[in-house]
Coordinates of all heavy atoms in Angstrom, one line a residue:
M1 N 249.9 110.2 223.6 CA 250.2 111.5 222.9 C 250.9 111.4 221.6 O 251.9 110.6 221.5 CB 251.0 112.5 223.8 CG 250.2 112.9 225.0 SD 248.8 114.0 224.7 CE 249.6 115.5 224.2
I2 N 250.6 112.1 220.6 CA 251.2 112.2 219.3 C 252.5 112.8 219.5 O 252.6 113.9 220.1 CB 250.6 112.9 218.1 CG1 249.1 112.2 218.0 CG2 251.4 113.0 216.9 CD1 248.3 113.1 217.0
E3 N 253.7 112.1 219.3 CA 255.1 112.7 219.5 C 255.7 113.1 218.1 O 255.6 112.3 217.2 CB 256.0 111.7 220.2 CG 255.5 111.3 221.6 CD 256.3 110.3 222.4 OE1 257.7 110.3 221.9 OE2 255.9 109.7 223.2
Y4 N 256.1 114.3 218.1 CA 256.7 114.8 217.0 C 258.2 115.0 217.1 O 258.7 115.3 218.2 CB 256.1 116.2 216.7 CG 254.7 116.3 216.4 CD1 253.8 116.6 217.5 CD2 254.0 115.8 215.2 CE1 252.4 116.7 217.3 CE2 252.7 115.8 215.2 CZ 251.8 116.2 216.2 OH 250.5 116.3 216.0
K5 N 259.0 114.8 215.8 CA 260.4 114.9 216.1 C 260.7 116.4 216.2 O 261.7 116.7 216.9 CB 261.0 114.4 214.7 CG 262.5 114.4 214.7 CD 263.2 113.8 213.5 CE 264.5 113.9 213.6 NZ 265.2 113.1 212.4
Y6 N 259.8 117.3 215.6 CA 260.1 118.7 215.7 C 258.7 119.3 216.0 O 257.6 119.0 215.5 CB 260.6 119.3 214.3 CG 261.8 118.7 213.9 CD1 261.9 117.7 213.0 CD2 263.0 119.1 214.4 CE1 263.0 117.1 212.4 CE2 264.2 118.5 214.0 CZ 264.2 117.6 213.0 OH 265.5 116.9 212.5
P7 N 258.8 120.4 217.0 CA 257.5 121.0 217.4 C 256.7 121.6 216.1 O 255.6 121.8 216.2 CB 257.9 122.0 218.4 CG 259.3 122.1 218.3 CD 259.9 121.0 217.7
E8 N 257.5 122.0 215.1 CA 257.0 122.7 213.8 C 256.0 121.8 213.2 O 255.1 122.3 212.6 CB 258.0 123.2 213.0 CG 259.1 124.3 213.5 CD 260.2 123.8 214.3 OE1 260.3 122.5 214.6 OE2 261.1 124.6 214.6
E9 N 256.2 120.5 213.4 CA 255.2 119.6 212.7 C 253.8 119.8 213.2 O 252.9 119.9 212.3 CB 255.5 118.1 212.9 CG 256.9 117.7 212.5 CD 257.4 116.3 212.8 OE1 256.5 115.4 212.6 OE2 258.4 116.2 213.6
R10 N 253.6 120.0 214.4 CA 252.3 120.3 215.0 C 251.8 121.6 214.5 O 250.6 121.7 214.1 CB 252.3 120.2 216.5 CG 250.9 120.3 217.1 CD 251.0 120.2 218.6 NE 249.7 120.3 219.2 CZ 249.2 121.6 219.7 NH1 249.8 122.7 219.5 NH2 248.0 121.6 220.2
E11 N 252.8 122.6 214.4 CA 252.2 123.9 213.9 C 251.8 123.8 212.4 O 250.8 124.5 212.1 CB 253.3 124.9 214.1 CG 253.7 125.3 215.4 CD 255.0 126.2 215.4 OE1 255.1 127.0 214.6 OE2 256.0 126.0 216.3
I12 N 252.4 123.0 211.7 CA 252.1 122.9 210.2 C 250.8 122.2 210.1 O 250.0 122.6 209.4 CB 253.3 122.2 209.5 CG1 254.4 123.0 209.5 CG2 252.7 121.7 208.2 CD1 255.7 122.3 209.1
L13 N 250.5 121.1 211.0 CA 249.3 120.3 210.9 C 248.2 121.4 211.3 O 247.2 121.2 210.7 CB 249.4 119.1 211.8 CG 250.3 118.0 211.4 CD1 250.6 117.0 212.5 CD2 249.6 117.3 210.2
I14 N 248.4 122.1 212.4 CA 247.2 122.9 212.7 C 247.0 124.0 211.7 O 245.8 124.3 211.4 CB 247.6 123.5 214.1 CG1 247.4 122.4 215.3 CG2 246.6 124.7 214.5 CD1 247.8 122.7 216.7
H15 N 248.0 124.6 211.0 CA 247.9 125.5 210.2 C 247.0 125.0 208.9 O 246.0 125.7 208.6 CB 249.2 126.0 209.6 CG 249.1 126.6 208.2 ND1 248.8 128.0 208.2 CD2 249.4 126.4 206.9 CE1 248.9 128.4 207.0 NE2 249.3 127.5 206.2
Y16 N 247.2 123.8 208.5 CA 246.5 123.2 207.4 C 245.1 122.7 207.9 O 244.2 122.9 207.1 CB 247.4 122.1 206.7 CG 248.2 122.8 205.7 CD1 249.6 122.8 205.9 CD2 247.8 123.3 204.6 CE1 250.5 123.3 205.2 CE2 248.8 123.9 203.7 CZ 250.0 123.9 204.0 OH 250.9 124.5 203.0
A17 N 245.0 122.2 209.1 CA 243.7 121.9 209.5 C 242.7 123.1 209.6 O 241.6 123.1 209.2 CB 243.7 121.2 210.9
E18 N 243.3 124.3 209.9 CA 242.5 125.5 209.9 C 242.2 125.9 208.5 O 241.2 126.4 208.2 CB 243.3 126.6 210.8 CG 243.3 126.3 212.2 CD 244.2 127.3 213.0 OE1 245.0 128.0 212.3 OE2 244.0 127.3 214.3
K19 N 243.2 125.9 207.7 CA 243.2 126.3 206.3 C 242.0 125.6 205.6 O 241.3 126.0 204.8 CB 244.5 126.2 205.5 CG 244.5 126.8 204.2 CD 245.9 126.7 203.6 CE 245.9 127.3 202.2 NZ 247.1 128.0 201.7
M20 N 242.1 124.1 205.9 CA 241.1 123.2 205.1 C 239.8 123.2 205.8 O 238.9 122.5 205.4 CB 241.8 121.9 205.1 CG 243.1 121.9 204.2 SD 244.1 120.2 204.4 CE 242.9 119.0 203.8
E21 N 239.7 123.9 207.0 CA 238.5 124.1 207.8 C 238.0 122.7 208.3 O 236.9 122.2 208.2 CB 237.5 124.7 207.0 CG 237.7 126.3 206.7 CD 236.6 127.0 206.0 OE1 235.6 126.3 205.6 OE2 236.8 128.2 205.8
N22 N 239.1 121.9 208.7 CA 238.8 120.5 209.1 C 238.8 120.4 210.6 O 239.8 120.1 211.2 CB 239.9 119.5 208.6 CG 239.5 118.1 208.8 OD1 239.1 117.7 209.8 ND2 240.0 117.2 207.8
E23 N 237.6 120.6 211.2 CA 237.4 120.7 212.7 C 237.7 119.5 213.4 O 238.3 119.4 214.5 CB 236.0 121.2 213.0 CG 235.7 122.6 212.6 CD 236.6 123.7 213.3 OE1 236.8 123.5 214.5 OE2 237.0 124.5 212.6
T24 N 237.4 118.3 212.7 CA 237.8 117.0 213.4 C 239.3 116.8 213.4 O 239.8 116.5 214.6 CB 237.2 115.9 212.5 OG1 235.8 115.9 212.3 CG2 237.5 114.5 213.1
A25 N 240.0 117.1 212.4 CA 241.4 117.1 212.5 C 242.0 118.0 213.5 O 242.9 117.7 214.4 CB 242.1 117.2 211.2
L26 N 241.5 119.2 213.5 CA 241.9 120.2 214.5 C 241.8 119.7 215.9 O 242.6 120.0 216.8 CB 241.2 121.5 214.2 CG 241.7 122.8 214.8 CD1 243.2 123.0 214.5 CD2 240.9 124.1 214.4
D27 N 240.6 119.2 216.2 CA 240.3 118.8 217.6 C 241.4 117.6 218.0 O 241.8 117.7 219.2 CB 238.9 118.2 217.6 CG 237.9 119.3 217.6 OD1 238.3 120.4 217.9 OD2 236.7 119.0 217.4
I28 N 241.5 116.8 217.0 CA 242.5 115.6 217.3 C 243.9 116.2 217.6 O 244.6 115.7 218.5 CB 242.5 114.6 216.1 CG1 241.2 113.9 216.1 CG2 243.6 113.6 216.3 CD1 240.9 113.2 214.7
L29 N 244.4 117.1 216.7 CA 245.7 117.5 216.8 C 245.8 118.5 218.1 O 247.0 118.3 218.8 CB 246.1 118.4 215.6 CG 246.1 117.7 214.3 CD1 246.0 118.6 213.1 CD2 247.4 116.9 214.4
K30 N 244.8 119.1 218.5 CA 244.9 119.9 219.7 C 245.0 119.1 221.0 O 245.7 119.4 221.9 CB 243.8 121.0 219.8 CG 244.0 122.2 218.8 CD 243.0 123.2 218.9 CE 243.2 124.4 217.9 NZ 242.4 125.5 218.2
Q31 N 244.2 117.9 220.9 CA 244.2 117.0 222.1 C 245.4 116.1 222.1 O 245.9 115.7 223.2 CB 242.9 116.1 222.0 CG 241.6 116.8 222.3 CD 240.4 116.0 222.2 OE1 240.5 114.6 222.1 NE2 239.3 116.4 222.1
G32 N 246.0 115.9 220.8 CA 247.2 115.1 220.8 C 247.0 113.6 220.9 O 247.9 112.8 221.0
V33 N 245.8 113.2 220.9 CA 245.4 111.6 220.9 C 244.4 111.3 219.9 O 243.6 112.2 219.8 CB 245.1 111.3 222.4 CG1 246.1 111.6 223.3 CG2 243.8 112.0 222.8
V34 N 244.4 110.1 219.5 CA 243.4 109.5 218.7 C 242.6 108.5 219.7 O 243.5 107.6 220.2 CB 243.9 108.9 217.5 CG1 242.9 107.9 216.7 CG2 244.5 109.9 216.5
S35 N 241.4 108.6 219.8 CA 240.6 107.8 220.8 C 239.9 106.6 220.1 O 239.5 105.7 220.8 CB 239.5 108.6 221.4 OG 240.3 109.7 222.1
N36 N 239.7 106.5 218.7 CA 238.9 105.5 218.2 C 239.3 105.4 216.7 O 240.1 106.2 216.1 CB 237.4 105.7 218.4 CG 237.0 107.0 217.9 OD1 237.2 107.3 216.8 ND2 236.3 107.7 218.6
R37 N 238.8 104.3 216.1 CA 239.1 104.1 214.7 C 238.5 105.2 213.8 O 239.2 105.6 212.8 CB 238.2 102.8 214.3 CG 238.3 102.2 212.9 CD 237.5 101.2 212.5 NE 237.9 100.7 211.2 CZ 237.4 101.2 210.1 NH1 236.6 102.3 210.1 NH2 237.7 100.7 208.8
E38 N 237.4 105.9 214.1 CA 236.9 106.9 213.3 C 237.9 108.1 213.3 O 238.1 108.8 212.2 CB 235.6 107.4 213.6 CG 234.4 106.4 213.4 CD 234.4 105.1 214.3 OE1 234.9 105.3 215.6 OE2 233.8 104.1 213.9
Q39 N 238.5 108.4 214.4 CA 239.5 109.4 214.6 C 240.7 109.2 213.8 O 241.3 110.1 213.2 CB 239.7 109.8 216.0 CG 238.6 110.5 216.7 CD 239.0 110.9 218.2 OE1 240.0 110.5 218.7 NE2 238.3 112.0 218.6
A40 N 241.1 107.9 213.9 CA 242.3 107.5 213.2 C 242.2 107.6 211.7 O 243.0 108.1 211.0 CB 242.7 105.9 213.5
L41 N 241.0 107.3 211.1 CA 240.7 107.3 209.7 C 240.7 108.9 209.3 O 241.2 109.2 208.3 CB 239.4 106.6 209.5 CG 239.1 106.5 208.0 CD1 240.2 105.8 207.2 CD2 237.8 105.7 207.9
A42 N 240.0 109.6 210.2 CA 239.9 111.1 209.9 C 241.2 111.7 209.9 O 241.6 112.5 209.0 CB 239.0 111.7 210.9
L43 N 242.2 111.4 210.8 CA 243.5 112.0 210.8 C 244.3 111.5 209.5 O 245.0 112.3 208.9 CB 244.3 111.6 212.1 CG 245.6 112.2 212.3 CD1 245.5 113.7 212.4 CD2 246.2 111.7 213.6
S44 N 244.2 110.4 209.2 CA 244.9 109.8 207.9 C 244.3 110.5 206.7 O 245.0 111.0 205.9 CB 244.6 108.3 207.8 OG 245.0 107.7 206.6
Q45 N 243.0 110.6 206.5 CA 242.5 111.3 205.5 C 242.9 112.8 205.4 O 243.2 113.2 204.3 CB 240.9 111.2 205.4 CG 240.4 109.8 205.2 CD 238.9 109.6 205.4 OE1 238.3 110.4 206.2 NE2 238.4 108.6 204.9
F46 N 242.9 113.4 206.6 CA 243.3 114.7 206.7 C 244.9 114.9 206.2 O 245.2 115.8 205.3 CB 243.2 115.4 208.1 CG 244.1 116.6 208.3 CD1 243.8 117.7 207.7 CD2 245.2 116.5 209.0 CE1 244.5 118.9 207.8 CE2 246.0 117.7 209.2 CZ 245.6 118.8 208.6
Y47 N 245.7 114.1 206.7 CA 247.1 114.2 206.3 C 247.3 113.9 204.8 O 247.9 114.7 204.1 CB 247.9 113.0 207.0 CG 249.4 112.8 206.3 CD1 250.3 113.9 206.7 CD2 249.7 112.0 205.4 CE1 251.5 113.9 206.2 CE2 251.1 111.9 204.8 CZ 251.9 112.9 205.3 OH 253.2 112.9 204.7
W48 N 246.6 112.9 204.2 CA 246.8 112.8 202.6 C 246.3 113.9 201.8 O 246.8 114.4 200.9 CB 246.3 111.3 202.2 CG 247.1 110.3 202.8 CD1 246.7 109.5 203.9 CD2 248.5 109.9 202.6 NE1 247.7 108.6 204.3 CE2 248.8 108.8 203.5 CE3 249.5 110.5 201.8 CZ2 250.0 108.3 203.6 CZ3 250.6 109.8 201.8 CH2 251.0 108.8 202.6
G49 N 245.1 114.5 202.4 CA 244.6 115.8 201.7 C 245.4 116.8 201.9 O 245.6 117.7 201.0
M50 N 246.1 117.0 203.1 CA 247.0 118.1 203.4 C 248.1 118.2 202.4 O 248.4 119.3 202.0 CB 247.4 118.0 204.8 CG 248.4 119.2 205.3 SD 249.1 118.8 206.8 CE 250.3 117.6 206.4
I51 N 248.6 117.1 202.1 CA 249.7 117.0 201.2 C 249.4 117.7 199.8 O 250.2 118.4 199.2 CB 250.3 115.6 200.8 CG1 250.9 115.0 202.2 CG2 251.1 115.4 199.6 CD1 251.3 113.6 202.0
D52 N 248.2 117.4 199.4 CA 247.8 118.1 198.1 C 247.7 119.5 198.2 O 248.1 120.3 197.4 CB 246.5 117.4 197.7 CG 246.5 116.0 197.2 OD1 247.7 115.6 196.7 OD2 245.5 115.3 197.3
V53 N 247.1 120.0 199.3 CA 246.9 121.5 199.6 C 248.2 122.1 199.7 O 248.5 123.1 199.1 CB 246.0 121.7 200.8 CG1 245.9 123.1 201.1 CG2 244.6 121.2 200.5
A54 N 249.1 121.5 200.5 CA 250.4 122.2 200.7 C 251.3 122.1 199.3 O 252.0 123.1 199.1 CB 251.3 121.2 201.7
A55 N 251.1 121.1 198.7 CA 251.8 121.1 197.2 C 251.3 122.2 196.3 O 252.1 122.9 195.7 CB 251.6 119.7 196.6
D56 N 249.9 122.4 196.4 CA 249.3 123.4 195.6 C 249.8 124.9 196.0 O 250.1 125.8 195.2 CB 247.9 123.3 195.7 CG 247.3 122.1 194.8 OD1 248.1 121.6 194.0 OD2 246.2 121.9 195.0
D57 N 249.9 125.0 197.3 CA 250.1 126.3 197.7 C 251.7 126.6 198.1 O 252.1 127.7 198.4 CB 249.4 126.8 198.9 CG 249.7 126.2 200.2 OD1 250.7 125.5 200.4 OD2 248.9 126.3 201.1
Q58 N 252.4 125.6 198.0 CA 253.9 125.6 198.1 C 254.4 126.3 199.6 O 255.1 127.0 199.7 CB 254.7 126.2 197.1 CG 254.7 125.4 195.9 CD 255.4 124.0 196.0 OE1 256.6 124.1 196.5 NE2 254.8 123.0 195.8
G59 N 253.4 126.1 200.5 CA 253.6 126.7 201.9 C 253.3 128.2 202.0 O 253.7 128.7 203.1
S60 N 252.7 128.7 201.0 CA 252.4 130.2 201.2 C 251.5 130.4 202.4 O 250.6 129.7 202.6 CB 251.7 130.7 199.8 OG 250.3 130.5 199.9
G61 N 252.0 131.5 203.0 CA 251.3 131.9 204.2 C 251.8 131.1 205.5 O 251.4 131.5 206.6
F62 N 252.7 130.4 205.3 CA 253.5 129.6 206.5 C 255.0 129.8 206.3 O 255.6 129.1 205.4 CB 253.1 128.3 206.6 CG 253.4 127.5 207.8 CD1 252.4 127.6 208.7 CD2 254.6 127.1 208.2 CE1 252.5 127.0 210.0 CE2 254.8 126.5 209.5 CZ 253.8 126.5 210.4
P63 N 255.5 130.8 206.8 CA 257.1 131.2 206.6 C 258.0 130.1 206.8 O 258.9 130.0 205.8 CB 257.2 132.2 207.8 CG 256.0 132.8 208.1 CD 255.0 131.6 208.0
L64 N 257.7 129.1 207.6 CA 258.8 128.0 207.6 C 258.7 127.3 206.4 O 259.8 126.8 205.9 CB 258.4 127.1 208.9 CG 259.2 125.9 209.1 CD1 260.6 126.3 209.5 CD2 258.6 124.9 210.1
L65 N 257.4 127.0 205.9 CA 257.4 126.2 204.6 C 257.9 126.9 203.4 O 258.5 126.4 202.5 CB 256.0 125.7 204.4 CG 255.5 124.7 205.5 CD1 254.0 124.3 205.1 CD2 256.3 123.5 205.4
E66 N 257.6 128.2 203.5 CA 258.1 129.1 202.3 C 259.7 129.2 202.2 O 260.2 129.1 201.2 CB 257.6 130.5 202.5 CG 256.0 130.6 202.3 CD 255.6 132.1 202.6 OE1 256.2 132.9 203.0 OE2 254.2 132.2 202.3
K67 N 260.2 129.1 203.4 CA 261.7 129.3 203.5 C 262.4 127.9 203.2 O 263.3 127.9 202.4 CB 262.1 129.7 204.9 CG 263.7 129.8 205.2 CD 263.9 130.3 206.6 CE 265.4 130.3 206.8 NZ 265.7 130.6 208.2
E68 N 261.9 126.8 203.8 CA 262.5 125.6 203.9 C 261.9 124.5 202.9 O 262.5 123.5 202.6 CB 262.6 125.0 205.3 CG 263.5 125.8 206.2 CD 263.6 125.2 207.6 OE1 263.5 123.9 207.5 OE2 263.8 126.0 208.5
G69 N 260.7 124.9 202.4 CA 260.0 124.0 201.5 C 259.2 122.9 202.2 O 259.4 122.6 203.4
I70 N 258.3 122.3 201.5 CA 257.4 121.4 202.2 C 257.7 119.9 202.1 O 257.3 119.2 203.0 CB 255.9 121.5 201.5 CG1 256.0 121.0 200.0 CG2 255.4 122.8 201.6 CD1 254.7 120.7 199.4
E71 N 258.6 119.5 201.3 CA 258.9 118.0 201.1 C 259.4 117.4 202.4 O 258.9 116.4 202.9 CB 259.8 117.8 199.9 CG 259.2 118.1 198.6 CD 259.4 119.5 198.2 OE1 260.1 120.5 198.9 OE2 258.8 119.9 197.2
Q72 N 260.4 118.0 203.0 CA 261.0 117.4 204.1 C 260.0 117.5 205.3 O 260.0 116.5 206.1 CB 262.3 118.1 204.6 CG 263.1 117.5 205.6 CD 263.6 116.1 205.3 OE1 264.1 116.0 204.2 NE2 263.5 115.1 206.1
W73 N 259.3 118.5 205.5 CA 258.4 118.7 206.6 C 257.2 117.6 206.4 O 256.9 117.0 207.6 CB 257.8 120.0 206.7 CG 258.8 120.9 207.3 CD1 259.5 121.9 206.6 CD2 259.5 120.9 208.6 NE1 260.4 122.6 207.5 CE2 260.3 122.0 208.7 CE3 259.1 120.2 209.7 CZ2 261.1 122.2 209.9 CZ3 259.8 120.5 210.9 CH2 260.8 121.5 211.0
M74 N 256.7 117.2 205.3 CA 255.7 116.4 205.1 C 256.3 115.1 205.4 O 255.6 114.1 205.9 CB 255.2 116.5 203.5 CG 254.5 117.6 203.3 SD 253.0 118.1 204.5 CE 253.4 119.6 204.8
E75 N 257.4 114.7 205.1 CA 258.1 113.5 205.5 C 258.1 113.3 207.0 O 257.9 112.3 207.5 CB 259.4 113.3 204.8 CG 260.0 112.0 205.0 CD 261.3 111.6 204.3 OE1 261.6 112.1 203.3 OE2 262.1 110.9 204.8
Y76 N 258.7 114.4 207.7 CA 258.7 114.3 209.2 C 257.4 114.0 209.7 O 257.1 113.2 210.6 CB 259.2 115.6 209.9 CG 260.7 115.9 209.5 CD1 261.0 117.1 209.2 CD2 261.7 115.0 209.4 CE1 262.4 117.7 209.0 CE2 262.9 115.3 209.1 CZ 263.3 116.6 209.1 OH 264.6 116.9 208.8
I77 N 256.2 114.7 209.2 CA 255.0 114.5 209.7 C 254.5 113.2 209.4 O 253.8 112.6 210.2 CB 254.0 115.6 209.1 CG1 254.5 117.0 209.7 CG2 252.6 115.3 209.3 CD1 253.8 118.2 208.8
F78 N 254.7 112.7 208.3 CA 254.4 111.2 207.8 C 254.8 110.3 208.9 O 254.2 109.5 209.4 CB 254.9 111.0 206.5 CG 254.7 109.5 206.2 CD1 253.6 108.9 205.5 CD2 255.7 108.5 206.4 CE1 253.4 107.7 205.1 CE2 255.5 107.2 206.2 CZ 254.4 106.8 205.5
H79 N 256.2 110.4 209.2 CA 256.7 109.4 210.1 C 256.2 109.6 211.5 O 255.8 108.6 212.3 CB 258.3 109.6 210.2 CG 259.0 109.0 209.0 ND1 258.9 107.7 208.6 CD2 259.5 109.8 208.0 CE1 259.5 107.7 207.4 NE2 260.0 108.9 207.1
S80 N 255.9 110.7 212.0 CA 255.3 111.1 213.3 C 253.8 110.5 213.3 O 253.5 109.8 214.4 CB 255.2 112.5 213.6 OG 256.5 113.1 213.8
L81 N 253.0 110.7 212.4 CA 251.7 110.2 212.4 C 251.7 108.7 212.3 O 250.9 107.9 212.8 CB 250.7 111.0 211.4 CG 250.5 112.5 211.7 CD1 249.7 113.0 210.5 CD2 250.0 112.8 213.0
N82 N 252.4 108.2 211.2 CA 252.5 106.8 211.0 C 252.9 106.0 212.3 O 252.2 105.2 212.7 CB 253.4 106.5 209.8 CG 253.5 105.0 209.6 OD1 252.7 104.3 209.2 ND2 254.8 104.6 209.7
G83 N 254.0 106.6 212.8 CA 254.6 105.9 214.1 C 253.4 105.8 215.2 O 253.2 104.8 215.8
Y84 N 252.7 107.0 215.3 CA 251.8 107.0 216.4 C 250.5 106.0 216.1 O 250.1 105.3 217.0 CB 251.3 108.5 216.6 CG 250.0 108.6 217.6 CD1 250.3 108.6 218.9 CD2 248.8 108.7 217.1 CE1 249.2 108.6 219.8 CE2 247.7 108.7 217.9 CZ 248.0 108.6 219.4 OH 246.8 108.7 220.1
L85 N 250.0 106.2 215.0 CA 248.8 105.4 214.7 C 249.1 103.9 214.7 O 248.3 103.1 215.2 CB 248.2 105.9 213.3 CG 247.5 107.2 213.3 CD1 247.2 107.7 212.0 CD2 246.3 107.3 214.2
V86 N 250.2 103.5 214.1 CA 250.6 102.0 213.9 C 250.8 101.6 215.5 O 250.3 100.5 215.7 CB 251.7 101.9 212.9 CG1 252.3 100.4 213.1 CG2 251.3 102.1 211.5
S87 N 251.5 102.3 216.1 CA 251.9 101.8 217.6 C 250.6 101.8 218.4 O 250.6 101.1 219.5 CB 252.9 102.7 218.2 OG 252.5 103.9 218.5
N88 N 249.6 102.4 218.0 CA 248.3 102.5 218.7 C 247.2 101.5 218.3 O 246.1 101.7 218.5 CB 247.9 103.9 219.0 CG 248.8 104.6 220.1 OD1 248.5 104.4 221.3 ND2 249.6 105.4 219.7
G89 N 247.7 100.7 217.2 CA 246.7 99.7 216.7 C 245.9 100.3 215.6 O 244.8 99.7 215.2
Y90 N 246.2 101.3 214.9 CA 245.5 101.9 213.8 C 246.2 101.8 212.5 O 246.0 102.7 211.6 CB 245.1 103.5 214.1 CG 244.2 103.6 215.4 CD1 244.6 104.3 216.4 CD2 243.0 103.0 215.4 CE1 244.0 104.3 217.5 CE2 242.2 103.2 216.6 CZ 242.7 103.9 217.6 OH 241.9 104.0 218.7
E91 N 246.9 100.8 212.2 CA 247.7 100.5 211.0 C 246.8 100.5 209.8 O 246.9 101.0 208.7 CB 248.5 99.3 211.1 CG 249.4 99.2 209.8 CD 250.2 98.0 209.9 OE1 250.3 97.3 211.1 OE2 251.2 97.8 209.0
E92 N 245.6 99.8 209.9 CA 244.6 99.5 208.9 C 244.0 100.9 208.5 O 243.9 101.2 207.3 CB 243.5 98.7 209.3 CG 242.6 98.5 208.2 CD 241.4 97.4 208.7 OE1 241.7 96.3 209.5 OE2 240.3 97.5 208.3
E93 N 243.7 101.8 209.4 CA 243.2 103.1 209.1 C 244.1 103.9 208.4 O 243.8 104.6 207.5 CB 242.7 103.7 210.4 CG 241.5 103.2 211.0 CD 241.7 101.8 211.7 OE1 242.9 101.4 211.9 OE2 240.8 101.1 212.0
W94 N 245.4 103.9 208.9 CA 246.5 104.8 208.2 C 246.6 104.2 206.7 O 246.8 105.0 205.7 CB 247.8 104.6 209.0 CG 249.0 105.2 208.5 CD1 249.9 104.8 207.7 CD2 249.2 106.7 208.3 NE1 250.7 105.8 207.3 CE2 250.3 107.0 207.7 CE3 248.3 107.9 208.8 CZ2 250.8 108.3 207.5 CZ3 248.9 109.2 208.5 CH2 250.1 109.3 207.9
D95 N 246.7 102.9 206.6 CA 246.9 102.3 205.2 C 245.8 102.5 204.3 O 245.9 102.3 203.0 CB 247.2 100.9 205.3 CG 248.7 100.6 205.9 OD1 249.5 101.5 205.8 OD2 249.0 99.5 206.3
Q96 N 244.6 102.9 204.7 CA 243.4 103.0 203.8 C 243.6 104.2 202.9 O 242.9 104.3 201.9 CB 242.1 103.2 204.6 CG 241.6 101.9 205.2 CD 240.2 102.0 205.8 OE1 239.6 103.1 205.8 NE2 239.9 101.0 206.5
E97 N 244.3 105.0 203.2 CA 244.6 106.2 202.3 C 245.8 106.0 201.5 O 246.3 106.5 200.9 CB 244.6 107.6 203.1 CG 243.2 107.9 203.7 CD 242.1 108.1 202.6 OE1 242.4 108.9 201.7 OE2 241.2 107.5 202.9

């Protein structure tokens, strides 16, 4: 299971997966596991794309991000996803982006 330092990380990820209409990422996040190389790559690509979207909208529509800003939350999420993927053998997929 993907372990987050803060539960809000998962909420933020799901918010952006829905906003970006990324069903693959949404499925992975709801299941909480990556089962293969393709999913690891999809999650990595989603994260890096999400950063651009979050920077563009400055968290509008997500009260936590509007109040506290996106930078720190993106860093927390980075460490959670990086730690999960690397520890499960998907370092190459994470590093591709």
Side-chain angles (χ1 to χ4, degrees):
M1 293 293 289
I2 300 172
E3 294 183 24
Y4 302 101
K5 184 173 183 176
Y6 302 102
E8 293 90 348
E9 294 174 61
R10 183 175 181 271
E11 292 175 41
I12 293 165
L13 286 163
I14 289 174
H15 167 78
Y16 280 105
E18 290 172 345
K19 181 174 187 160
M20 296 166 65
E21 299 179 354
N22 188 324
E23 292 298 321
T24 302
L26 192 56
D27 289 343
I28 293 166
L29 295 166
K30 286 184 176 181
Q31 290 179 11
V33 296
V34 170
S35 302
N36 56 51
R37 179 184 189 284
E38 291 75 25
Q39 286 185 339
L41 190 55
L43 187 59
S44 176
Q45 290 170 341
F46 163 71
Y47 172 76
W48 295 109
M50 178 189 75
I51 289 177
D52 293 335
V53 173
D56 287 344
D57 74 12
Q58 289 297 305
S60 80
F62 199 89
L64 178 69
L65 294 178
E66 290 175 359
K67 179 180 175 190
E68 297 184 26
I70 63 168
E71 294 83 10
Q72 190 63 48
W73 286 108
M74 293 303 127
E75 186 173 330
Y76 291 145
I77 292 167
F78 171 88
H79 289 294
S80 294
L81 296 181
N82 175 66
Y84 173 78
L85 290 172
V86 169
S87 69
N88 283 283
Y90 298 114
E91 182 173 5
E92 182 179 322
E93 290 74 14
W94 178 253
D95 289 340
Q96 282 187 12
E97 290 299 308

